[in-house]
Amino acid sequence: MNPHAAVPHTQVDGIPTLFVQAAGPMRAGLVFRVGIADETLGRGGLTHLIEHLALYRQGVADYHYNGATKAAFTHFHVEGAEHEIAAYLTGVCASLTDLPMDRLETEREILRTEESRRDSGLLPLWRYGAQGYGLVSYPEWGVRTASAQDVWQWAQSWFTADNAVLWIAGEHIPAGLSLKLPAGDRRPMPAVTSALPTTPAYFSDGTGGVLLDSVVADTTAAWLYSGVLERELTRALRQEGGYSYTAASDFTSRRDGHARVTAFADSLPAKQDAVLGGFVDVLAGFQAGRIAQADLDAVRGRADGALAAPDTAARRLPGLAEDLLAGRPLRTADELRAELRAVTPADLHQVAVEAAGTALLQVPGGHSADWAGYTAAPVDSPYAVTGRRFAARDRGDTALVVGADGVSLTGRTAGGSERAVTVHYRACAAVLSWPDGGRRLVGTDGLTVEVEPGLYGIDAHTMAALDAAVPPHAVVHLPPRQQPQSAARRPEQAAAGSGTAPAPRTWGQRIGIFLLLSLTALLAFVALAWTIGGAGDPETGAGEYTILTCVLWAAVAGVGWPAVSMLRRPRKG
């Protein structure tokens, strides 16, 4: 077999098929042009749920199989003997046309367990918002509420023969393979949205290291740039500076003519300034054209060696299937190797300049990147809606405005300037709804406003008008929660856990605390006076003095501790 030859095309049951001859166990996969980015936030997780349901009837097999739901594609792949490949792919297609809906509730719980262990990061949310490619940063809220009808309709619309590509690496196409899927349409790639008014931009979050996300043209030069960037970050931050343990980068094709270049460097809290400064210095050096020929040659050598390996043709098949579904030309390994040889440091410099212009930087909490020419990503809205104003009970400068076209949380920053966070009903990606009346509105830009009737004194009529105004398909009904929310969520908090906002204390509580504190002060004065003067009293023995001293200070603690506890305890409305 020639690993560099063009990939042969054929069809199986009307599905385009990529086939290469390969020794060893047969490998195959069925790829669909549907993923997380095709969903909406309120119905997120439908594709993943269908993937799980489709695999259920496969049971526990002796051969290796699995599925994967990505941003724009869903994969079902398998490795084994010829009859096992045929049985697996035939069974997947049969399940997709007749999903085991009796398994729906069980798979919901499995997906929720899987979600609790997943950390997709915040960079997609900040770049794309709460839609499209940004949905990978959010919980799969739609899994909780999707009905059997919702699941069936999604499967019939997206998991079709015209929206699939089959790939096989083996001696021949397996006998007995039957891929019976409904007809449909080849779906275009997901729309690319933006939540960033300008780039390069940054946001501050967490206590970890530094992360970078850039969008560049999907070229061989960009692929090599990612490798050279990792090499230089490792040299500067680990080998020379000793600031980081891990410095890495990654290149991911988006299959729409663009690709993501991401990079990361970890850090201890004491070294965050040094890591951030060193990270920015490496990027600045590349933008200035300081790219060593030796580094390019080293990265190119590894890439060329991978393309020259005997199993190259088989390893490239899943990616080629995605290219075919995206309508991109399929390049051979020989074509890629020729492109590798043509790349120069000047080409990498052009990629570095392009990457700098689209950069999104995540810096540790409490840090900024303004000094490096990055603009803070927005955490506020440019204006507030007009409507009824409800002042927060616990903060006089904070208010919730409920209007005919949206909601806004208004207040002041630490510097005293006015700020507003607004979610318009027409741009509402999801509305989380709790039985206690609380709502969380998430805008497509990722900004979030908490609507808590008890904390703002919102009447039932206003809440009913709000519920009627939000898009019905965006509503996610959640189970009862322990305590309500209080503040507007910034984008970095949209998928995080909830906090608690205390309500004002009653007059009775305030009087009780005042009396306890007054009695504590009086007892403390008496105990202090006795401690200082009692030891010199000739009529008091040492043992009596010690006992009385302990008793007095115990009384101080006994009265004072409840007062302190009441001050620290969350206030209940």
Side-chain angles (χ1 to χ4, degrees):
M1 178 196 68
N2 180 3
H4 313 299
V7 178
H9 289 65
T10 184
Q11 283 194 350
V12 175
D13 290 332
I15 297 176
T17 302
L18 305 177
F19 171 79
V20 296
Q21 287 191 337
M26 181 175 286
R27 286 164 283 175
L30 190 61
V31 187
F32 293 90
R33 220 310 288 141
V34 58
I36 301 168
D38 297 296
E39 301 169 344
T40 62
L41 182 58
R43 294 294 179 264
L46 278 176
T47 308
H48 196 186
L49 182 56
I50 290 171
E51 175 222 313
H52 272 234
L53 290 170
L55 291 177
Y56 168 66
R57 294 192 180 111
Q58 301 297 323
V60 180
D62 294 330
Y63 56 89
H64 173 73
Y65 74 86
N66 210 338
T69 302
K70 301 169 62 178
F73 301 94
T74 299
H75 291 248
F76 297 94
H77 51 88
V78 59
E79 178 178 327
E82 179 179 339
H83 71 280
E84 293 169 332
I85 301 293
Y88 171 79
L89 293 175
T90 299
V92 166
C93 291
S95 289
L96 287 172
T97 58
D98 182 23
L99 290 169
M101 293 302 182
D102 58 326
R103 183 72 179 176
L104 188 57
E105 294 304 320
T106 302
E107 294 300 336
R108 288 190 211 271
E109 294 304 308
I110 292 174
L111 287 177
R112 289 178 62 188
T113 303
E114 181 181 341
E115 181 180 275
S116 68
R117 301 165 50 194
R118 183 170 59 242
D119 181 10
S120 302
L122 300 173
L123 288 166
L125 184 160
W126 281 85
R127 179 176 292 280
Y128 302 109
Q131 56 185 328
Y133 288 97
L135 296 183
V136 299
S137 292
Y138 283 88
E140 294 175 333
W141 282 318
V143 169
R144 294 176 176 267
T145 57
S147 66
Q149 182 70 11
D150 294 332
V151 174
W152 181 83
Q153 287 181 344
W154 192 260
Q156 291 293 303
S157 299
W158 292 89
F159 290 89
T160 66
D162 297 288
N163 202 37
V165 167
L166 172 69
W167 62 266
I168 299 172
E171 295 183 357
H172 51 262
I173 294 177
L177 186 59
S178 177
L179 309 179
K180 302 299 184 183
L181 290 171
D185 298 316
R186 173 67 57 83
R187 297 302 186 105
M189 294 296 290
V192 178
T193 58
S194 177
L196 297 173
T198 184
T199 53
Y202 80 94
F203 67 96
S204 175
D205 183 84
T207 60
V210 178
L211 291 89
L212 171 75
D213 176 90
S214 293
V215 178
V216 297
D218 188 357
T219 63
T220 303
W223 177 27
L224 292 177
Y225 167 81
S226 175
V228 173
L229 177 60
E230 177 175 311
R231 189 177 176 89
E232 183 59 25
L233 287 172
T234 301
R235 178 188 294 121
L237 301 180
R238 175 168 177 165
Q239 295 177 342
E240 296 178 359
Y243 308 134
S244 294
Y245 175 75
T246 300
S249 68
D250 184 61
F251 176 87
T252 305
S253 174
R254 214 166 58 189
R255 310 291 178 189
D256 61 356
H258 291 84
R260 291 180 63 207
V261 174
T262 55
F264 167 74
D266 59 7
S267 172
L268 292 173
K271 298 292 183 68
Q272 289 174 353
D273 288 333
V275 169
L276 177 57
F279 200 108
V280 170
D281 285 345
V282 169
L283 298 176
F286 279 12
Q287 293 171 51
R290 295 194 293 271
I291 300 172
Q293 181 71 51
D295 287 336
L296 170 58
D297 290 341
V299 173
R300 175 166 38 213
R302 290 198 301 268
D304 186 71
L307 289 172
D311 64 342
T312 293
R315 284 190 295 103
R316 294 185 65 229
L317 284 176
L320 290 173
E322 291 186 0
D323 282 332
L324 189 58
L325 283 167
R328 305 183 71 201
L330 306 185
R331 292 180 294 174
T332 67
D334 280 342
E335 290 172 332
L336 289 176
R337 295 182 70 190
E339 292 176 9
L340 285 174
R341 290 190 292 269
V343 174
T344 67
D347 296 324
L348 298 193
H349 178 216
Q350 290 182 358
V351 176
V353 172
E354 182 184 13
T358 64
L360 174 61
L361 199 64
Q362 178 178 329
V363 301
H367 292 70
S368 73
D370 303 88
W371 55 271
Y374 293 78
T375 301
V379 294
D380 298 332
S381 303
Y383 59 89
V385 299
T386 58
R388 292 192 62 188
R389 183 180 184 275
F390 300 89
R393 290 181 175 179
D394 57 340
R395 288 171 295 175
D397 64 340
T398 302
L400 187 72
V401 182
V402 181
D405 55 348
V407 295
S408 296
L409 187 75
T410 62
R412 294 187 179 276
T413 65
S417 60
E418 294 185 357
R419 66 177 293 250
V421 178
T422 297
V423 175
H424 288 278
Y425 300 137
R426 67 175 183 274
C428 191
V431 181
L432 305 189
S433 175
W434 286 275
D436 60 16
R439 305 288 185 265
R440 181 189 302 171
L441 279 67
V442 184
T444 53
D445 59 1
L447 294 179
T448 307
V449 174
E450 308 285 354
V451 180
E452 295 293 343
L455 297 176
Y456 293 98
I458 307 175
D459 58 272
H461 176 76
T462 300
M463 288 302 301
L466 185 152
D467 287 339
V470 298
H473 65 271
V475 179
V476 180
H477 294 284
L478 296 177
R481 54 185 177 166
Q482 292 182 349
Q483 294 181 357
Q485 317 299 310
S486 67
R489 294 296 179 98
R490 294 184 178 186
E492 71 269 27
Q493 301 169 300
S498 61
T500 302
R505 296 187 179 94
T506 65
W507 279 107
Q509 290 174 325
R510 294 176 184 177
I511 293 172
I513 293 173
F514 173 76
L515 292 175
L516 283 174
L517 288 174
S518 299
L519 183 57
T520 301
L522 178 61
L523 287 172
F525 175 78
V526 173
L528 182 61
W530 171 255
T531 302
I532 295 173
D537 187 345
E539 297 183 2
T540 304
E544 292 177 77
Y545 168 77
T546 302
I547 293 172
L548 286 172
T549 300
C550 292
V551 169
L552 284 171
W553 284 111
V556 172
V559 176
W561 179 251
V564 173
S565 299
M566 289 181 70
L567 283 172
R568 298 180 60 187
R569 187 179 301 138
R571 294 165 281 174
K572 299 179 181 180

